[in-house]
Amino acid sequence: MAKKAATAQRPARRQRSDGERSRAAILDEAAKLATVEGIGGLSLSRLADQVGMSKSGLFAHFGSKEELQLATIEAANEIFDEQVLDPAAKASGGLERLRALLDAYLNYVEAGTFPGGCFFASVLVEVSMQPGTVRDRLLAFLQDWLGRLEGAVRDAQREGEISKKEDPGQLAFELESALLLANTQFTVAQNAEPIERARRAIDRRLEAAAA
């Protein structure tokens, strides 16, 4: 009964208008295109060709190339939240949350969510030397992601699951390194071996870090 009551109190999801559905479909295609051709090559004219719309039709949704790029990042961030962050939010402790984040990221890559691999791993390198709003937004994503990994390590240390001798930032860095290499190799090879290697590397590193 309690479960039914909780479900009843949950607000109904608002239906998207035709314009919102059209914009979402455009951004989905834009995010996929950005991982293959780069976010710098993401222009209204290029995207119009890809989705079969007129440039003027796209201009009704996005007033500039930068606005399109920022909207694409937000759309990719929503997908990342759904596939990586949301599953880990159910974890009951720091170590469980850390493992859930790492596992969900590898699942997100292996699922082929984007043709060029992880959206953020792909575009961050591209814009690293291009100061501006787009770069700032991507760096904010990276800082948040690394902060989540480091925060989970700190919680696990407080809970006695990870040794307090471990530097949380260093451990998060090493774990992220395994994820990034798995993403790169999987995107090139298109087989599960890099994902499995990353899982083994993560298991070994966390075993070594155990309290």
Side-chain angles (χ1 to χ4, degrees):
M1 290 296 291
K3 184 176 182 181
K4 186 178 291 185
T7 302
Q9 292 172 0
R10 186 180 301 158
R13 181 176 293 180
R14 183 178 65 85
Q15 281 193 321
R16 288 180 172 180
S17 67
D18 289 344
E20 288 173 324
R21 284 194 294 270
S22 176
R23 178 184 172 91
I26 291 167
L27 290 174
D28 181 65
E29 192 61 41
K32 291 176 182 176
L33 192 63
T35 65
V36 177
E37 299 187 5
I39 200 166
L42 199 59
S43 65
L44 293 175
S45 57
R46 177 68 184 90
L47 188 56
D49 291 341
Q50 188 72 16
V51 300
M53 289 180 66
S54 66
K55 186 177 178 181
S56 59
L58 271 182
F59 196 78
H61 293 280
F62 314 101
S64 67
K65 177 177 178 177
E66 183 178 88
E67 185 180 331
L68 169 62
Q69 291 172 327
L70 290 171
T72 300
I73 293 168
E74 296 309 321
N77 204 154
E78 285 185 15
I79 293 171
F80 191 89
D81 286 353
E82 290 171 4
Q83 296 191 22
V84 181
L85 301 189
D86 290 353
K90 302 171 185 176
S92 59
L95 182 59
E96 184 181 339
R97 187 169 77 256
L98 179 61
R99 285 189 174 278
L101 286 169
L102 300 168
D103 187 57
Y105 181 93
L106 292 172
N107 289 339
Y108 154 82
V109 171
E110 191 173 19
T113 306
F114 297 106
C118 172
F119 175 89
F120 293 95
S122 176
V123 299
L124 264 164
V125 175
E126 178 192 349
V127 303
S128 60
M129 299 301 292
Q130 300 171 15
T133 307
V134 172
R135 177 178 179 270
D136 291 346
R137 177 62 186 87
L138 291 166
L139 286 177
F141 168 86
L142 178 61
Q143 289 166 357
D144 177 75
W145 169 242
L146 291 176
R148 288 175 186 274
L149 296 181
E150 186 173 336
V153 172
R154 291 185 186 280
D155 286 345
Q157 287 178 316
R158 282 193 293 269
E159 293 156 6
E161 297 284 352
I162 289 180
S163 170
K164 292 184 178 180
K165 294 180 180 179
E166 290 284 347
D167 177 338
Q170 179 64 31
L171 181 53
F173 180 91
E174 292 177 31
L175 296 171
E176 172 70 353
S177 298
L179 298 182
L180 288 180
L181 184 56
N183 173 70
T184 300
Q185 291 189 339
F186 177 82
T187 303
V188 173
Q190 289 297 303
N191 65 58
E193 183 179 354
I195 303 296
E196 295 309 313
R197 286 186 181 276
R199 292 190 194 282
R200 289 195 294 271
I202 287 167
D203 284 344
R204 288 174 183 172
R205 185 63 185 91
L206 290 178
E207 285 172 10

